[in-house]
Amino acid sequence: MTEVIKFESVGLRYGLGPEVLQDISFNLETASFHFLIGPSGAGKSSLLRLMYLAHRQTRGIISLFGRDTASLPRTELPKLRRRIGVMFQDFRLLPHLTAFDNVALPLRVAGMKETKIKRYVEELLVWVGLENHMDVRPTTMSGGQQQRIAIARAVIARPKILYADEPTGNVDDRIAARLMHLFDELNKLGTTVIIATHNESIIQEFRRPILRIESGRLTVVPLDKDNKSSDNKSNVKRATQLLESLSPE
Amino acid sequence: MSLKQTNLALAKDDTNRFLPWLIAFMSLLAILSVAGFLLLKQVSDLFEYNSNDTMTIQVPSGNSEKRTNKKITQIINILKETGGVIEVSLVPKVEVIQLLKPWLGTISESQTLPLPQIIDIQIDRSSGITPEKISNVLTIIVPDITVDDHSIWLIGLVKTLQSAELMALFILLLIIFIIIGTVIFTTRTGMGIHKQTIEVLHFVGAHDDFIARQFAIRGLVVGLQGGLIGFLFAIPILYVFDNLLQNLEEGFLPKAEVNIFVWLSVALVVPMISSITMLTARGTVLKSLKKML
């Protein structure tokens, strides 16, 4: 197993304020799956922003795919970002684009052919239950529907790392379970998954190692080996089929 | 990649509502500056041509027309033999009357008015020929002959016209700077409005060039819209101006006209403006994006 994310004594402060993240050090290996938990304001979103290269750390070293992000030239950032999928808590869907076009965005940016894009995006939208909303703009959709579009956009390019910030916050339990199985299957296909959540039932059901952040400090809680998650076989099978049909980046 | 499906919806920005009209106004001014420059250049070139290579010899009318004509023949023959004189031509009386008409009116047509005979000569200035040298030779035949070197009085006029040409170019440059400044301002505003969208595009792996291209295309469209509107407004103005030029009294100024070259030149202002707006938008976005992570 190789390390895809490595933090060494990372600190972050905004402007001249106090450090919101202090001495964060951890390694995440390829195809690992972690929950990121912690009270509101503890620094979860700041940590995620460092991981998806929205911010630069004030101190310390962050390596992604074995490369120090601080020394990466700007021209190489897009290539790195195409290997990362992000589902934002506030979704950040483009309001002037349809659901289809929002999901297709990472593929279009990567220069994929429209015929392939059409097939992949339609399959994924069927999976997230939005096959009847492909031409609908996000502004007329419910929070749950927007969330599913955001998740579909994050996973469409089969990223090597997936960050999801509260991905089950606005959906019912059935959809939440289905989305979690999608993440689970992505993980089994080699994607490193980090999910920030407050949803205790999800954490209990899909027992995975935990990154706990509190007052800007991080502790890694390893998985109790005897306590494995119970897979819903029907969902797992369908998620596997779907992801295998999607093209890798 | 489909532009329609990945665009930033820039056309809907409030800043873009007034921009084509502002560019249209600037384009109109730019077109008028270019046309003004070209027309002034036509006039100054003609003046310069006249002042550089020609002189006029006035032979006062004598009491006997026969004797005067004999003297004229003699003068023409001498001039043809003189080194540095390329061409000699006697200006017909009708033309002389036309030249005097703006100043004398119909009196110039009077048969009793003693009109001088005018001889135009084309010279090669590098041969060292001067009005004095010609005058010295010709006064032997006609003592009160006058030799006019046009360059003496035309040179000031040419310089004034050339200053006006420079002024027109300076105004054009000023207009270009204003367009660049306006596009920089509106592009930055557009980037502020679409900050979140730009962030999302970055997160999904878009290169700066991908984002800049969308602003550049919008810049091109706005430039073309504004440029074409400006050109449409310029057409009647130039048409009227051309008519005014054509109706100027003969001999008052050398004939300048809004010819095909002028029309083609002012039409080129449209692609020039749209290229400027496109490149400025692109450059502004790329520069601003460098400051982002």
Side-chain angles (χ1 to χ4, degrees):
Chain A
M1 289 281 188
T2 52
E3 289 163 348
V4 283
I5 305 170
K6 187 175 182 183
F7 274 54
E8 291 173 81
S9 308
V10 171
L12 173 71
R13 68 170 82 237
Y14 295 108
L16 297 171
E19 270 199 327
V20 291
L21 295 176
Q22 297 163 39
D23 293 316
I24 306 283
S25 296
F26 64 91
N27 303 325
L28 298 184
E29 291 177 339
T30 305
S32 59
F33 191 130
H34 288 79
F35 285 117
L36 175 63
I37 64 166
S40 297
K44 289 198 300 292
S45 293
S46 293
L47 182 62
L48 282 176
R49 286 180 72 80
L50 286 180
M51 287 199 270
Y52 61 69
L53 305 172
H55 265 306
R56 283 213 193 277
Q57 70 275 26
T58 324
R59 62 185 172 90
I61 299 167
I62 298 173
S63 302
L64 291 178
F65 306 106
R67 300 193 66 179
D68 179 359
T69 57
S71 62
L72 268 178
R74 185 174 169 73
T75 48
E76 286 191 33
L77 285 176
K79 201 175 162 189
L80 197 71
R81 282 176 170 141
R82 284 177 198 177
R83 301 171 76 185
I84 300 170
V86 188
M87 190 242 129
F88 301 95
Q89 192 172 8
D90 55 357
F91 316 139
R92 300 210 193 165
L93 300 173
L94 306 193
H96 60 283
L97 298 184
T98 63
F100 182 97
D101 291 331
N102 264 288
V103 177
L105 200 58
L107 302 181
R108 288 200 171 116
V109 161
M112 189 180 273
K113 284 184 178 172
E114 281 298 318
T115 46
K116 279 188 178 178
I117 290 173
K118 190 172 185 299
R119 185 157 63 85
Y120 297 152
V121 173
E122 281 177 359
E123 275 181 53
L124 192 53
L125 283 173
V126 169
W127 169 256
V128 295
L130 291 172
E131 63 271 31
N132 297 322
H133 294 74
M134 288 189 193
D135 296 323
V136 178
R137 292 186 183 194
T139 41
T140 58
M141 288 179 165
S142 69
Q145 288 169 329
Q146 288 185 41
Q147 192 163 27
R148 280 179 276 164
I149 298 293
I151 290 167
R153 186 180 67 189
V155 303
I156 187 74
R158 286 276 302 278
K160 295 291 172 202
I161 301 174
L162 175 72
Y163 304 117
D165 201 353
E166 296 289 351
T168 56
N170 292 289
V171 292
D172 60 38
D173 289 346
R174 188 181 62 84
I175 296 284
R178 202 164 172 181
L179 293 174
M180 285 308 297
H181 283 298
L182 181 66
F183 296 145
D184 202 31
E185 282 311 301
L186 262 175
N187 175 239
K188 282 176 185 164
L189 291 169
T191 299
T192 304
V193 179
I194 297 160
I195 292 176
T197 185
H198 284 108
N199 190 329
E200 281 295 329
S201 63
I202 290 282
I203 296 168
Q204 290 303 321
E205 188 185 345
F206 291 84
R207 299 186 68 80
R208 291 288 185 275
I210 288 168
L211 302 171
R212 185 191 302 278
I213 192 156
E214 214 153 355
S215 305
R217 290 187 179 274
L218 185 97
T219 47
V220 183
V221 183
L223 176 68
D224 178 0
K225 296 276 181 192
D226 300 329
N227 209 343
K228 284 188 175 177
S229 66
S230 56
D231 290 341
N232 174 326
K233 285 191 174 135
S234 154
N235 271 342
V236 170
K237 194 179 171 195
R238 287 173 63 195
T240 309
Q241 283 169 348
L242 167 76
L243 290 167
E244 279 174 350
S245 75
L246 292 176
S247 164
E249 182 194 352
Chain B
M1 171 187 51
S2 161
L3 279 168
K4 185 176 170 282
Q5 286 146 330
T6 56
N7 71 44
L8 293 162
L10 298 169
K12 291 174 184 168
D13 292 354
D14 283 344
T15 48
N16 275 319
R17 286 188 196 149
F18 75 89
L19 194 56
W21 292 103
L22 190 66
I23 301 287
F25 181 63
M26 292 297 162
S27 300
L28 175 64
L29 294 180
I31 286 168
L32 295 181
S33 299
V34 169
F37 167 78
L38 292 172
L39 292 172
L40 285 168
K41 188 148 177 56
Q42 277 182 29
V43 176
S44 69
D45 282 353
L46 283 167
F47 273 137
E48 206 171 17
Y49 172 78
N50 288 336
S51 66
N52 273 344
D53 302 324
T54 61
M55 286 186 195
T56 305
I57 296 157
Q58 280 188 53
V59 185
S61 63
N63 296 332
S64 157
E65 196 180 336
K66 195 178 170 186
R67 204 184 304 161
T68 306
N69 287 343
K70 196 180 168 188
K71 281 179 182 173
I72 292 289
T73 313
Q74 267 183 297
I75 289 168
I76 288 173
N77 287 337
I78 290 169
L79 286 170
K80 280 180 178 169
E81 299 295 316
T82 308
V85 176
I86 300 164
E87 203 180 309
V88 183
S89 61
L90 180 68
V91 180
K93 199 174 178 183
V94 185
E95 227 172 277
V96 176
I97 292 168
Q98 282 299 316
L99 285 169
L100 291 171
K101 218 173 177 181
W103 285 272
L104 301 178
T106 48
I107 301 169
S108 60
E109 291 170 17
S110 165
Q111 293 300 315
T112 55
L113 189 72
L115 289 176
Q117 298 270 20
I118 291 174
I119 301 165
D120 270 346
I121 57 168
Q122 253 197 309
I123 54 160
D124 174 14
R125 247 175 232 282
S126 62
S127 67
I129 196 163
T130 61
E132 290 75 27
K133 280 183 186 171
I134 296 171
S135 190
N136 288 343
V137 175
L138 298 180
T139 43
I140 300 163
I141 304 159
V142 183
D144 49 356
I145 202 165
T146 55
V147 181
D148 287 331
D149 186 354
H150 298 172
S151 66
I152 293 166
W153 63 276
L154 278 179
I155 208 150
L157 189 59
V158 169
K159 278 188 177 167
T160 308
L161 286 168
Q162 284 172 342
S163 301
E165 286 168 30
L166 282 177
M167 186 63 79
L169 286 182
F170 177 72
I171 290 169
L172 180 67
L173 204 67
L174 210 63
I175 291 164
I176 289 170
F177 279 131
I178 293 169
I179 291 172
I180 289 172
T182 308
V183 173
I184 288 173
F185 173 75
T186 50
T187 304
R188 282 187 181 160
T189 308
M191 287 186 77
I193 293 168
H194 297 283
K195 189 170 181 280
Q196 274 218 341
T197 307
I198 291 168
E199 274 182 9
V200 170
L201 286 172
H202 268 154
F203 293 143
V204 298
H207 281 279
D208 289 352
D209 205 49
F210 178 93
I211 297 162
R213 202 182 309 145
Q214 303 200 29
F215 281 91
I217 288 168
R218 184 65 200 147
L220 178 72
V221 170
V222 168
L224 278 174
Q225 282 175 342
L228 283 171
I229 296 169
F231 183 66
L232 288 176
F233 277 110
I235 289 171
I237 296 172
L238 289 177
Y239 184 75
V240 169
F241 195 65
D242 189 42
N243 273 340
L244 287 174
L245 283 174
Q246 299 316 309
N247 292 332
L248 273 179
E249 286 285 358
E250 191 77 37
F252 184 68
L253 274 176
K255 276 284 180 209
E257 58 173 351
V258 184
N259 55 25
I260 186 75
F261 177 71
V262 175
W263 281 116
L264 282 175
S265 302
V266 297
L268 281 176
V269 171
V270 180
M272 181 192 82
I273 298 264
S274 47
S275 302
I276 288 169
T277 52
M278 180 183 77
L279 294 173
T280 306
R282 183 183 146 77
T284 307
V285 173
L286 287 176
K287 198 176 169 194
S288 301
L289 288 179
K290 272 186 188 165
K291 292 175 195 160
M292 293 171 76
L293 189 61

